[in-house]
Amino acid sequence: MIPIITPIFAGIAAFMLIWLSSRVVALRRVKNVLSGDGGDAELRRAIRVQGNFVEYVPLTLVLMGFSEMQGANRGVVVLIGLALIAGRVLHALGVARDPEQFSFQVRGMFFTFTALAIAAVLCVGQSVWVLLQR
């Protein structure tokens, strides 16, 4: 089965990454920092928001896509995608602020971990099910 839902969320995530990356680039330009964070707390936060996004989103999207290809319920795939995007938005809002909003970070990571875990359970469960049927 060709994934239909996952590419939508992959596209949304790509636009989010462009936005997060452009924030880092803009701060580097304003603060005249070519590499690293230059000891600047605001730039460090922006880099971590971007980095954290890149650490969690790709694997979750891959697992979503595999689940969808294996015939997972589309509604469940949509919920995973929504949880992932909500989690990343909340996390970004929490970390990017000064002072950081810890409650946003916690909620963001909860949604992100939930999306990642459900997608992983679907992938493993569906694969084991197919193997047991052979």
Side-chain angles (χ1 to χ4, degrees), residues 61-130:
L61 289 170
V62 167
L63 293 170
M64 281 175 62
F66 284 152
S67 296
E68 194 173 359
M69 285 188 286
Q70 292 174 325
N73 180 290
R74 284 192 175 155
V76 173
V77 177
V78 168
L79 289 176
I80 293 169
L82 290 172
L84 176 64
I85 298 301
R88 297 296 73 211
V89 167
L90 287 170
H91 182 268
L93 290 174
V95 176
R97 293 181 184 210
D98 185 21
E100 293 181 7
Q101 297 292 313
F102 187 66
S103 64
F104 279 33
Q105 288 175 258
V106 170
R107 287 182 183 100
M109 290 311 299
F110 172 79
F111 282 119
T112 301
F113 286 160
T114 298
L116 182 59
I118 292 170
V121 167
L122 278 176
C123 274
V124 172
Q126 290 171 298
S127 294
V128 169
W129 178 255
V130 169

Side-chain angles (χ1 to χ4, degrees), residues 34-82:
L34 298 176
S35 173
D37 61 27
D40 185 85
E42 183 181 18
L43 180 54
R44 184 173 29 258
R45 281 192 306 276
I47 291 168
R48 279 313 310 141
V49 169
Q50 177 194 36
N52 195 273
F53 186 92
V54 171
E55 292 162 3
Y56 288 101
V57 172
L59 180 58
T60 307
L61 289 170
V62 167
L63 293 170
M64 281 175 62
F66 284 152
S67 296
E68 194 173 359
M69 285 188 286
Q70 292 174 325
N73 180 290
R74 284 192 175 155
V76 173
V77 177
V78 168
L79 289 176
I80 293 169
L82 290 172

